[in-house]
Amino acid sequence: MNVRVLYFASARELASKSAENLSLSEGASVGDLSKEVQRVHPPLKTLKNSMKFSVNLTVVDADTILKEGDEVGILPPVAGG
Amino acid sequence: MRRPLITASVIDPAKVLRSVHDNSAGGTAMFVGTIRNRSEGKPVTGLRYDVYKPMAEKKMLEIESQVKARWPVRKISMVHRYGDLKVGEVSVAVAVSCDHRAEAFEACRFAIDSIKRTVPLWKKEMSRGGKGKWVKGTPIDT
């Protein structure tokens, strides 16, 4: 299964890219994707305890199961205003 | 066409204020966020905002709905800028018109506080000759 991963702010700099397609096994969760992005881009480990995830524009928990074509946002702590 | 919620263009607070005008409103509260020249005692030349635009627009609309559900709001208007902003420029504007001032103040406060907690926006403090530093922020709220 393929998902579209978007990196923002410090995550984009640590991953050295703003987006990519990742291939995961069927039934993979957001937590599995978190491990995969840290494996592919080890500098992202510095955000391990603070990053959150969105799936198709909604913030989700790590146990959320991903589906083919999902858009996953890698969200460091936010600071608008 | 509704006004943009997230924009790369300069924000004119007067326009945002005019957009919530309503003849039945007796009080309008407004918050305008601007780029300041210092952070933690160090000089800052500007801020660079990053945004997850479609999600940010969705979250801004959710905040508007929450405000309207909690307070008797006549009109609400919110806009947040992204990209490179210089000291003194407006990064965010929120205006709320209500029949009375108490609910206008409360609703406006809730809206700007919610923007900071729930909208996927990030800012990097830029300094002269430096690479810039991402502002620490807080984990996004659902």
Side-chain angles (χ1 to χ4, degrees), chain B residues 54-67:
Chain B
M55 185 174 168
E57 287 167 339
K58 178 176 173 242
K59 299 306 284 185
M60 295 279 270
L61 286 173
E62 283 175 18
I63 294 167
E64 285 194 1
S65 299
Q66 286 165 3
V67 168

Side-chain angles (χ1 to χ4, degrees), chain A residues 6-13 50 52-54 56-60 71-81, chain B residues 49-52 54-55 58 80 91-92 115-117 119-124 134-142:
Chain A
L6 307 180
Y7 300 94
F8 295 95
S10 54
R12 175 166 34 75
E13 292 177 356
S50 61
K52 295 260 200 172
F53 302 87
S54 62
N56 304 329
L57 312 183
T58 300
V59 178
V60 296
E71 179 178 287
V72 182
I74 309 290
L75 314 176
V78 296
Chain B
Y49 283 88
D50 194 9
V51 63
Y52 185 1
M55 185 174 168
K58 178 176 173 242
H80 201 297
S91 57
V92 58
I115 287 173
K116 286 180 170 271
R117 285 188 300 105
V119 181
L121 282 153
W122 299 269
K123 58 189 164 200
K124 190 181 221 181
W134 290 104
V135 172
K136 201 160 164 247
T138 52
I140 193 166
D141 239 346
T142 47

Side-chain angles (χ1 to χ4, degrees), chain A residues 22-33:
Chain A
L22 283 182
S23 181
L24 301 167
S25 45
E26 290 301 318
S29 68
V30 167
D32 296 327
L33 173 96

Side-chain angles (χ1 to χ4, degrees), chain A residues 22-72:
Chain A
L22 283 182
S23 181
L24 301 167
S25 45
E26 290 301 318
S29 68
V30 167
D32 296 327
L33 173 96
S34 173
K35 287 189 196 119
E36 179 63 6
V37 296
Q38 291 173 61
R39 188 187 66 77
V40 179
H41 310 290
L44 279 175
K45 286 181 181 144
T46 58
L47 285 178
K48 184 166 73 170
N49 297 321
S50 61
M51 65 185 171
K52 295 260 200 172
F53 302 87
S54 62
V55 173
N56 304 329
L57 312 183
T58 300
V59 178
V60 296
D61 294 327
D63 56 10
T64 299
I65 302 300
L66 292 165
K67 302 184 304 297
E68 170 72 28
D70 276 347
E71 179 178 287
V72 182

Side-chain angles (χ1 to χ4, degrees), chain B residues 92-109:
Chain B
V92 58
V94 178
V96 184
S97 60
C98 296
D99 289 10
H100 305 287
R101 69 183 183 285
E103 55 258 33
F105 275 123
E106 281 178 23
C108 185
R109 175 71 189 253

Side-chain angles (χ1 to χ4, degrees), chain B residues 65-77:
Chain B
S65 299
Q66 286 165 3
V67 168
K68 286 176 182 165
R70 285 179 65 168
W71 288 277
V73 168
R74 292 293 172 184
K75 285 188 182 145
I76 177 168
S77 186

